[in-house]
Amino acid sequence: MIKRHRWSITLAVSLVACFLVLQEVAVRRAQALSNDTYQELDTFASVLAIVQKNYVEPVSTKKLIDGAISGMLASLDPHSAYLTPDLYRDLEVETRGSFGGLGIEITIKNGALTVVAPIEDTPAYRAGLKAGDQIIKIDDDFTKDMSLTEAVKRMRGPKGSKIRLTLHRNGVAELFTVTLARDVIKIQSVKSKTLDGGYGYIRVTTFQENTGEGVEKAIDGFESKEHGKLKGIVFDLRDNPGGLLNQAVKVSDDFLDGGLIVYTQGREENQQQKYFSHKKPDFVDYPMVVLVNGGSASASEIVAGALQDQKRAVILGTQTFGKGSVQTILPLDDHSALRLTTARYYTPTGRSIQAVGITPDVDVEPPKETIASLTQQGAEFDENPEIHESDLPHHFQNGQKKDDKNPATGAAAVPGTGKGDKGPGAKGAKAKEEKDVQLDRAIDILKHWNTFKLQLAKGESQSPVSEGDSVKSKGD
């Protein structure tokens, strides 16, 4: 009896201790959350209970919670998102340069699922999809109010499986449908060749694992051909949607001889980072022109901004996308993850390009479609098909005052259903070969490098190509 009594007392004491510990944890959590937060959570719990009780069909708690998390992150900015376990695995595979799908970058503009840019040598690129095309339907399902996460999930699939996209293109009167076969998208992020005149050409399509090594290999190849002396390089970042920050830093370092490349600023101490280039004893400051356009975003803008601020290269093309934010992947216990915007990044001279972009030193626009060139009568002419960060819903500002001076030396301010696979961009359509006026202008600048650099440094607007030719120019 005495032993049993002692055991009861011990159990009671233990239960009291556990209660006190739990109470302390609850108090700490209560202190960490404001009363307003608790009131909103009560509202959320009430809505959850009402939906589960009254919705026309039974719905799981997990589905509702996942939807609530997705909506919460989507309301913050265009780049924060909730990644389900499947999407998180896809993201890990994608950064390694291989994934199953169509090969297009998409966003939501004015409530419509919109193509930012097709990726080279992919089913979408070969089918003729263009930046600005609106995806009205995926197979038989309308995309109105469809989330980016859901759209990406529907477009992914095994190699060889078919998918139909119903598109609207600015300048084309009717909708048209394109049938594509999914493929394993193996992105060759670095491509290079020798241009007429002995100049090197390097194109980076996206910043993924080993992109830096690919750029270094291309530079070494040019140097071996020219016995260690480079005449100049055209570095093409057009329609490059970005990618890994560390690869953007590595690529920038390949072209710089010391100095700041980029720095980030967020709310937490670990989000205050600075990235520098290394000093190189055998560095050669060969002529360099960087090509950019409205599809150049994020990591591309880091590279262009660093080379521009350090006056290492001439930036040529059109205003870039303007994504000046850093996303961090935060894994969760159930193998899902959050992709959360945690910082802004700044160029070496302190520019935030968020919702602004990089202004090129030489503004050269590609040829635009004219009414006469359109394939269907009654078409509407779109003056500006490019999409920028500032066009996206919930985008945030760059945190700098409007009257802040831009340290850059930029010279310019800145898509009834058709049947079958008919219409521009349909599979099998042969795109007309267009003259690359931006690349041609870049080569002209390299040929007259010393004169051009001197004029640009003085702030003059005369180009060395021909008399009366302005630094700001448009393609014919």
Side-chain angles (χ1 to χ4, degrees):
M1 290 292 292
I2 293 174
K3 289 182 179 179
R4 184 177 299 174
H5 183 64
R6 288 176 178 174
W7 183 86
S8 299
I9 293 174
T10 302
L11 179 61
V13 171
S14 299
L15 290 173
V16 170
C18 289
F19 174 77
L20 291 174
V21 170
L22 291 174
Q23 188 178 43
E24 177 67 18
V25 171
V27 169
R28 289 181 180 179
R29 289 185 175 179
Q31 292 173 344
L33 297 174
S34 66
N35 290 332
D36 290 343
T37 303
Y38 271 106
Q39 290 176 1
E40 297 300 331
L41 289 175
D42 285 342
T43 302
F44 174 78
S46 297
V47 172
L48 183 69
I50 291 171
V51 171
Q52 286 188 309
K53 181 179 179 181
N54 296 283
Y55 188 64
V56 64
E57 294 178 349
V59 58
S60 68
T61 301
K62 177 174 174 52
K63 181 176 180 178
L64 292 175
I65 295 295
D66 284 353
I69 295 173
S70 296
M72 174 176 62
L73 291 168
S75 71
L76 297 176
D77 66 81
H79 312 294
S80 295
Y82 173 60
L83 305 177
T84 64
D86 288 342
L87 289 174
Y88 185 27
R89 283 193 297 271
D90 287 344
L91 178 65
E92 291 178 315
V93 171
E94 186 172 337
T95 58
R96 292 194 292 270
S98 176
F99 58 95
L102 304 179
I104 49 175
E105 293 286 332
I106 57 175
T107 189
I108 293 178
K109 178 183 178 183
N110 298 329
L113 192 65
T114 306
V115 176
V116 174
I119 301 172
E120 283 189 19
D121 299 327
T122 64
Y125 183 84
R126 290 189 290 268
L129 271 67
K130 294 184 177 182
D133 285 352
Q134 294 177 343
I135 303 174
I136 306 302
K137 292 170 66 175
I138 299 177
D139 288 328
D140 296 323
D141 298 323
F142 285 96
T143 60
K144 182 175 173 57
D145 298 326
M146 184 182 291
S147 68
L148 282 176
T149 301
E150 178 65 17
V152 170
K153 184 177 179 181
R154 287 171 178 259
M155 292 183 191
R156 294 279 170 90
K159 178 180 179 180
S161 59
K162 300 289 184 67
I163 184 172
R164 295 193 320 278
L165 301 182
T166 301
L167 304 170
H168 169 254
R169 175 171 296 167
N170 284 323
V172 177
E174 296 183 2
L175 303 181
F176 60 96
T177 301
V178 179
T179 299
L180 305 96
R182 296 180 179 91
D183 200 356
V184 176
I185 310 300
K186 295 182 178 179
I187 302 175
Q188 182 183 351
S189 69
V190 181
K191 301 177 181 180
S192 63
K193 63 182 179 180
T194 301
L195 301 171
D196 292 340
Y199 299 105
Y201 172 87
I202 301 175
R203 170 157 175 75
V204 175
T205 58
T206 185
F207 289 87
Q208 60 192 35
E209 290 182 9
N210 303 319
T211 295
E213 293 179 10
V215 170
E216 291 171 359
K217 184 178 180 181
I219 295 173
D220 291 342
F222 294 141
E223 289 179 340
S224 64
K225 292 179 182 178
E226 300 297 328
H227 307 289
K229 297 186 69 175
L230 273 173
K231 291 183 62 177
I233 282 182
V234 177
F235 192 59
D236 194 347
L237 294 176
R238 291 175 296 181
D239 294 320
N240 182 323
L244 300 176
L245 173 63
N246 67 331
Q247 294 301 306
V249 171
K250 189 171 183 178
V251 169
S252 300
D253 189 18
D254 290 334
F255 299 116
L256 294 171
D257 186 28
L260 184 63
I261 294 173
V262 66
Y263 66 94
T264 63
Q265 287 188 344
R267 295 170 62 191
E268 299 295 326
E269 185 176 350
N270 63 356
Q271 294 157 2
Q272 321 289 330
Q273 301 288 337
K274 291 185 177 181
Y275 301 88
F276 293 88
S277 171
H278 299 87
K279 292 290 291 183
K280 304 168 183 66
D282 55 350
F283 180 77
V284 178
D285 188 16
Y286 48 79
M288 184 174 181
V289 178
V290 179
L291 301 181
V292 297
N293 64 4
S296 306
S298 192
S300 300
E301 295 172 296
I302 289 177
V303 176
L307 298 180
Q308 186 180 55
D309 282 5
Q310 291 216 35
K311 302 188 184 304
R312 172 65 184 90
V314 170
I315 312 301
L316 184 150
T318 58
Q319 195 81 4
T320 61
F321 185 80
K323 181 181 176 294
S325 60
V326 178
Q327 282 68 48
T328 302
I329 303 300
L330 304 170
L332 302 177
D333 292 338
D334 63 347
H335 303 295
S336 63
L338 303 182
R339 184 177 66 208
L340 191 65
T341 300
T342 55
R344 293 181 177 92
Y345 69 74
Y346 296 81
T347 68
T349 56
R351 288 183 291 162
S352 169
I353 63 166
Q354 172 60 26
V356 176
I358 296 290
T359 300
D361 301 307
V362 182
D363 186 44
V364 180
E365 295 185 10
K368 291 184 178 180
E369 289 182 320
T370 63
I371 292 293
S373 70
L374 298 176
T375 58
Q376 299 189 33
Q377 294 182 353
E380 296 178 359
F381 184 62
D382 183 36
E383 287 288 341
N384 186 19
E386 285 188 342
I387 302 169
H388 294 85
E389 174 83 6
S390 57
D391 297 321
L392 304 184
H394 309 302
H395 75 271
F396 58 91
Q397 300 303 314
N398 63 15
Q400 294 179 327
K401 296 179 181 179
K402 291 184 178 181
D403 57 353
D404 284 353
K405 292 183 179 180
N406 189 337
T409 57
V414 241
T417 303
K419 296 182 180 180
D421 291 337
K422 298 180 180 180
K427 188 176 181 181
K430 186 175 181 180
K432 182 181 178 181
E433 190 71 24
E434 294 181 352
K435 183 179 180 182
D436 192 339
V437 296
Q438 294 171 329
L439 178 58
D440 289 346
R441 190 61 179 275
I443 296 173
D444 285 337
I445 289 175
L446 291 177
K447 290 178 179 177
H448 302 83
W449 182 252
N450 292 331
T451 305
F452 186 87
K453 286 283 286 186
L454 180 62
Q455 291 178 349
L456 194 63
K458 291 180 178 179
E460 298 178 6
S461 62
Q462 286 297 105
S463 166
V465 179
S466 62
E467 281 191 34
D469 210 3
S470 171
V471 171
K472 179 181 178 180
S473 66
K474 298 183 179 181
D476 296 328

